[in-house]
Amino acid sequence: MNAPAQFDATSRAWTCFDVTIEDHVAHIRLKRPEAMNTMVRPFWNELPAIVNEINAKALARCIVISSTGKHFCAGMDLAVFQGGGSTSDPASEDRHVNAEAMRFHVKLLQDAFSCLDEARMPVIAAIQGGCVGGAVDMTSACDIRYCTSDAFFVIQEINIGMTADVGTFPRLCKLIPEGWVRELAYTGRRLPAQRAKEIGLVNEVFDTHEAVVEHALATAREIASKAPLAVTGSKVMINYARDHSIKDALDYIAVWQTAMFSGPHMAEAFKAKAEKRDANFPDLAPLRGEM
């Protein structure tokens, strides 16, 4: 499936991203290498807009997020904390009223990455060089992470006098041992690529940027060849199991199968294998955005 005309995001002049869709795979690339792909203000609106459109219109079966230049992303642009319209600007002269409004603003920033976790299709991150601050929040919301041998991860917030608040702790504590989360959070040290693989943050380490992106896209195409309903069901169940007890997760998968177990999709998988051809599965249905 080449980039469809109805996907407006592929033709928009995004500030921070390039977007292409091919072979059922959406490729979102950060495109500001001269600024180390920092998260300027437009970033926080553009990323969820792109991902939510792909998700709602079922325009791809897998998403890959990669970057350009020496570093994947240096995290939040410091200008976001300064000047008019910054995250620290008071919404009211009353300190307590301002705090309540600030809570909702932080939740808005969190949603920019939660869309990756909540998307119906898997999201793969291909990381090179520095993955710093907010970039750790972003990539921890992805389903799969690959990186280059020169990659490193930093919970940068502690180094600028704040507590990470956009998803680092809730997600990292599910991905790697808690002791590592605490060490990285308290010290602001770099976690190098090989150690990141050893503790399970990334699945594989590659020698070059080109190699990691190529592998991420190849994995995405392999995922896209599977039945989309089965893939999204797997993501839903993995996320549910992460957030619930074993008993609750077992009950939920039973309910899911009762409603969405697809004999025809299984029959097509078996037939395609017997006939030594690619299986032909239906895409997920677009979501209804209004009544």
Side-chain angles (χ1 to χ4, degrees):
M1 180 177 69
N2 293 323
Q6 69 266 30
F7 183 40
D8 297 333
T10 57
S11 59
R12 292 178 198 158
W14 296 106
T15 301
C16 301
F17 302 96
D18 285 322
V19 186
T20 57
I21 302 180
E22 187 176 0
D23 298 330
H24 297 284
V25 174
H27 189 184
I28 303 171
R29 295 170 68 243
L30 283 73
K31 66 172 185 179
R32 299 175 59 253
E34 73 288 348
M36 294 189 291
N37 296 296
T38 50
M39 296 171 174
V40 292
R41 287 191 178 93
F43 176 101
W44 299 94
N45 296 318
E46 291 180 1
L47 181 63
I50 293 166
V51 173
N52 289 335
E53 187 169 351
I54 294 170
N55 183 60
K57 294 183 178 179
L59 297 173
R61 297 180 179 182
C62 193
I63 297 171
V64 170
I65 298 180
S66 71
S67 191
T68 53
K70 183 177 180 180
H71 297 291
F72 178 80
C73 177
M76 183 83 82
D77 185 89
L78 293 182
V80 175
F81 296 103
Q82 303 164 352
S86 78
T87 59
S88 58
D89 280 354
S92 167
E93 293 182 0
D94 187 294
R95 179 176 70 85
H96 305 285
V97 170
N98 183 56
E100 191 274 342
M102 179 64 174
R103 172 175 174 265
F104 276 87
H105 184 67
V106 173
K107 287 172 68 66
L108 179 69
L109 298 180
Q110 292 171 347
D111 288 344
F113 298 146
S114 292
C115 68
L116 303 170
D117 191 27
E118 296 166 2
R120 294 186 287 168
M121 57 286 298
V123 182
I124 301 173
I127 303 157
Q128 86 283 3
C131 183
V132 179
V136 175
D137 298 270
M138 176 169 65
T139 56
S140 65
C142 297
D143 294 84
I144 300 170
R145 287 158 294 280
Y146 301 118
C147 74
T148 56
S149 57
D150 67 347
F152 59 90
F153 301 81
V154 183
I155 300 178
Q156 182 70 4
E157 287 84 350
I158 195 66
N159 294 327
I160 61 171
M162 67 173 287
T163 301
D165 58 0
V166 192
T168 288
F169 299 135
R171 294 193 171 99
L172 276 190
C173 285
K174 301 289 187 177
L175 295 172
I176 62 176
E178 186 177 303
W180 276 104
V181 179
R182 291 177 183 275
E183 179 177 323
L184 296 170
Y186 301 159
T187 67
R189 293 174 183 168
R190 292 184 177 188
L191 176 71
Q194 194 57 45
R195 186 56 57 87
K197 181 184 176 185
E198 291 171 0
I199 65 176
L201 182 59
V202 300
N203 289 23
E204 193 58 78
V205 177
F206 296 86
D207 290 336
T208 66
H209 184 195
E210 293 76 15
V212 72
V213 173
E214 181 180 348
H215 184 81
L217 289 171
T219 301
R221 288 190 291 268
E222 184 176 358
I223 292 170
S225 72
K226 312 300 181 183
L229 182 61
V231 172
T232 197
S234 298
K235 178 167 182 173
V236 169
M237 292 310 139
I238 291 168
N239 285 358
Y240 193 90
R242 175 194 65 195
D243 300 334
H244 295 79
S245 70
I246 294 174
K247 181 178 176 62
D248 288 344
L250 287 170
D251 182 66
Y252 190 50
I253 184 61
V255 174
W256 177 278
Q257 291 293 61
T258 301
M260 280 167 275
F261 181 88
S262 177
H265 296 183
M266 290 184 64
E268 169 61 12
F270 287 128
K271 186 177 180 182
K273 185 174 181 180
E275 295 175 356
K276 298 181 179 180
R277 61 171 174 81
D278 294 335
N280 183 20
F281 299 113
D283 290 324
L284 296 176
L287 300 176
R288 296 178 183 178
E290 58 188 13
M291 291 297 292

